[in-house]
Each structure stands twice: as structure tokens, then as C-alpha cells.
């Protein structure tokens, strides 16, 4: 039988018949960085807490004037024709805090590119799915960073879970 031609799904993520590899170890955030198969690191106002549908997610911020980082070192195969970052995020705070931010940054040999950002504004307490096209980074080595910063007002807690980087 002839091989099926991969068909992109409506979200822009290649369909299930595409040959895709998850390029991140430990993106479900269920383990600690020192465990085998875990390749992420974290610093600053960071802790592991309950996840979207699991026991583990990154909790970032939660204090006034805080900063936190969740990071993966990534090498993209040069043959990748489509690269998609998928993750779930949530913000919890008592009221709107536009000065509190979650950013996704791609840090590479030529500098750093802000790929996406969110502020602590209404969507409180519900998980949001985010998809980002990182195809321009195929064939490159880079750090994938989730950065949180909070201001001196009421603190916000950002949560990140189920991080997946698919190279197809």
C-alpha cells in the first residue's frame, strides 16, 4: 500500500500521520531536573506544584518583585520542515496585574527572540493552550526559556505544564 501523505490539522500542527519527534525531555514536568530523562532547569521564584491534569507543573512567580526561569537546551534537526511548541499555561492572582508577565524566549548564538508573552489579566484560574511556530530555528541549537517577572503590586503565580516541542 502507498504511504499516506501527512495532512496538516486545522491548528497548523502536523496531523498524526506526520513523522514528528518530541525534542524535549521532561516537558510534562513530572520529575526533578536531577532525574534521568529530565533536561530542564529552573531558577528564581520556582517550585513544582499541581499540574493541569497531573501532579507536576512549573509554578513561577507568586511573590512581589520576583523573577523565575524555566529552561531547556534544544538542538533542532536541520531536516525539520515544521517545528511547533505547544504548552499549557495559567495565571492565578487576586486582580488584574498587567505588570506581571510570562514570556517565551528563544536564546540562540545571535541573541534572543521574544516568541510570545502574556500578562496577568483576566483569564485567571483557567488553563490556556498555546501553540508557537518555531520552524525558523530548525537546524539550530538554542535555549528555550519561560521567563516570569512580577512587579511590586499584588503577586501573580504563573503555571506552565505539558511543554512539547515537535519537530516534523
Amino acid at each position: 500500500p502507498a504511504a499516506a501523505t501527512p495532512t496538516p490539522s486545522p491548528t497548523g500542527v502536523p496531523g498524526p500521520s506526520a513523522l514528528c519527534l518530541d525534542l524535549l525531555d521532561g516537558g510534562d514536568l513530572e520529575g526533578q531536573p536531577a532525574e534521568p530523562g529530565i533536561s530542564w532547569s529552573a531558577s528564581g521564584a520556582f517550585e513544582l506544584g499541581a499540574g493541569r491534569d497531573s501532579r507536576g507543573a512549573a509554578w513561577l512567580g507568586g511573590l512581589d518583585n520576583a523573577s523565575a526561569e524555566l529552561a531547556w537546551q534544544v538542538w533542532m534537526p536541520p531536516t525539520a520542515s515544521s517545528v511547533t511548541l505547544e504548552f499549557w499555561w495559567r495565571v492565578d492572582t487576586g486582580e488584574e496585574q498587567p505588570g506581571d508577565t510570562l514570556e517565551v524566549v528563544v536564546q540562540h548564538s545571535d541573541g534572543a527572540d521574544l516568541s510570545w508573552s502574556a500578562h496577568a489579566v483576566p483569564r485567571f484560574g483557567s488553563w490556556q493552550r498555546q501553540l508557537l511556530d518555531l520552524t525558523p530555528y530548525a537546524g539550530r541549537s538554542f535555549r528555550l526559556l519561560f521567563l516570569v517577572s512580577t512587579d511590586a503590586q499584588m503577586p501573580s503565580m504563573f503555571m506552565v505544564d505539558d511543554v512539547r516541542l515537535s519537530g516534523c
Side-chain angles (χ1 to χ4, degrees):
T5 302
T7 306
S9 68
T11 61
V13 177
S17 61
L19 176 58
C20 301
L21 300 173
D22 187 358
L23 302 172
L24 297 181
D25 291 328
D28 59 4
L29 297 159
E30 294 299 310
Q32 296 288 335
E35 294 177 18
I38 306 298
S39 64
W40 56 268
S41 63
S43 63
F46 166 85
E47 61 185 85
L48 287 174
R52 184 174 66 89
D53 290 323
S54 62
R55 66 180 169 85
W59 289 29
L60 306 151
L63 303 168
D64 288 335
N65 295 316
S67 63
E69 175 184 292
L70 174 65
W72 280 267
Q73 184 65 41
V74 178
W75 180 82
M76 281 292 186
T79 57
S81 60
S82 173
V83 179
T84 303
L85 175 64
E86 175 185 7
F87 62 95
W88 290 80
W89 69 280
R90 170 181 167 165
V91 60
D92 285 341
T93 186
E95 61 185 59
E96 187 169 310
Q97 294 297 311
D100 295 354
T101 60
L102 167 63
E103 297 178 333
V104 176
V105 173
V106 175
Q107 188 178 53
H108 47 81
S109 60
D110 298 328
D113 299 321
L114 175 64
S115 295
W116 176 86
S117 66
H119 300 274
V121 296
R123 278 182 241 156
F124 307 137
S126 66
W127 287 97
Q128 310 289 318
R129 180 177 179 233
Q130 189 65 46
L131 296 170
L132 301 176
D133 179 14
L134 297 186
T135 304
Y137 302 100
R140 297 186 75 176
S141 179
F142 61 87
R143 285 186 74 206
L144 175 64
L145 303 170
F146 289 81
L147 303 174
V148 166
S149 62
T150 63
D151 60 20
Q153 305 300 315
M154 180 181 295
S156 302
M157 177 70 75
F158 288 91
M159 287 151 257
V160 175
D161 199 5
D162 299 324
V163 181
R164 182 178 169 92
L165 184 64
S166 298
C168 302

